[in-house]
Each structure stands twice: as C-alpha cells, then as structure tokens.
Amino acid sequence: YATASPDWRRGETAPNMPNFATLFRVSVDTDTAAWVHVAGIPGAPASLDALVDAPTGDWRAACRDNIATILASPDWALYMDAVVAGLKASGYPTSRIVYLEPWNEVWNAAYPWGSMHHCALGVYDWSPRGRQLRENVPWPGMLYGYGYLAGKVMREFDDALSRAGRTQQWRLP
C-alpha cells in the first residue's frame, strides 16, 4: 500500500504507516466493506530492508533467524492501533465487516511476491511445532508459517480493538 504511490521510487524510504483513515473513508463514502492488507512485516529489523532484491532463500533465513525479535516487537501493536484509529476517524460502521488480509499471494514463490512465501518457510523452520510436523508431513511448511503469522495478526487486531474499546465485525478473506 505505502509503496504503491506513484511518487515512490526504489531506494526511497516508504512511509512508516499507510493512511488507514483515508482507506476506510473511501469505504464509508462508497458504502463498501474495506479490505485491509498487512503490508510488510511489523517488527522486522532494518536488516531485512536490504533483502528487497535478494534471492528468496535469504528471506527464509532472515525470518527464521529474526522471528523471535519480530514477534516480540511493539510494532505489531502500533500497526494495528493505527488500523483501529483509522476505523474510528473515518466513521466506519462497527457493524460493517472489515476484511483483514495478512499479506498477499503467500503461496506464490516467484519474485517479487516470494519474500513472504519464504519468510513463512523461515517461521516453519524456527517453530518447534513446525519441526514436529516435518517428521510426519513433508509439505506444510509455508502453510504452517503463514498460519502462525496470520494468527499473530488476528490476535494483535483483537487486542487493538480492545485497547480502543471498539467492537468491529471482521474476518480474514
């Protein structure tokens, strides 16, 4: 979302946070349900920025080696608090569903989408449960890693709604 701006050029720093209030205001004005895409990896250390054009295997190792830091980061709460603040500021109805998409095309291992595919594999490599699964089922790596990260997104969004005292109809697409 942030780097889809026509003014953004490779090598420039993207804005830290999309303008969620504008996104939700468009949905309010058009009487449609919003689809919010989690862009990037909240909590990822700056060292992952260097991987934008890196081979996909580098993403797997980087996520595996940094996942504890990523998961513990307060950036998740800041990101989801910004989503909820955007809902409130736009007047988005609490009864209207919000589709919360944790990343896009994670199944796609091709460049440039492959970064999250391979990051999910790194989460699978890191997870003790992932290692147990590997002994019995040879293929679920990316699905398991994506599910783990999607669970983090869902929990953080619920927590942000609670902090804001807001109820909201939402689901994963």
Side-chain angles (χ1 to χ4, degrees):
Y1 178 85
T3 57
S5 166
D7 299 327
W8 183 81
R9 302 287 179 258
R10 183 171 292 285
E12 292 179 359
T13 302
N16 287 333
M17 202 70 66
N19 186 330
F20 292 113
T22 299
L23 171 72
F24 293 123
R25 198 169 310 110
V26 169
S27 291
V28 169
D29 291 349
T30 59
D31 197 27
T32 57
W35 184 299
V36 181
H37 174 78
V38 176
I41 307 168
S47 60
L48 269 69
D49 291 344
L51 298 179
V52 169
D53 292 317
T56 53
D58 292 357
W59 279 98
R60 184 174 187 161
C63 286
R64 180 193 61 232
D65 296 345
N66 290 286
I67 193 63
T69 299
I70 291 167
L71 293 173
S73 173
D75 288 354
W76 291 86
L78 293 171
Y79 191 93
M80 292 304 168
D81 285 345
V83 172
V84 173
L87 285 165
K88 291 174 80 170
S90 69
Y92 194 90
T94 59
S95 60
R96 185 179 299 165
I97 196 144
V98 171
Y99 295 97
L100 183 64
E101 180 186 38
W103 307 284
N104 185 31
E105 293 202 25
V106 176
W107 53 268
N108 190 344
Y111 179 83
W113 305 277
S115 57
M116 280 310 298
H117 176 94
H118 292 280
C119 184
L121 285 170
V123 173
Y124 174 67
D125 293 344
W126 161 84
S127 167
R129 180 68 178 135
R131 290 191 293 276
Q132 290 173 345
L133 287 172
R134 215 172 3 264
E135 296 170 10
N136 301 310
V137 184
W139 58 267
M142 184 278 300
L143 298 173
Y144 178 84
Y146 174 73
Y148 195 99
L149 291 170
K152 175 72 171 168
V153 166
M154 292 186 293
R155 190 176 66 242
E156 291 289 344
F157 188 59
D158 273 342
D159 290 350
L161 289 167
S162 292
R163 282 190 297 276
R166 183 180 175 97
T167 58
Q168 182 67 56
Q169 297 295 315
W170 72 273
R171 62 169 292 187
L172 298 181

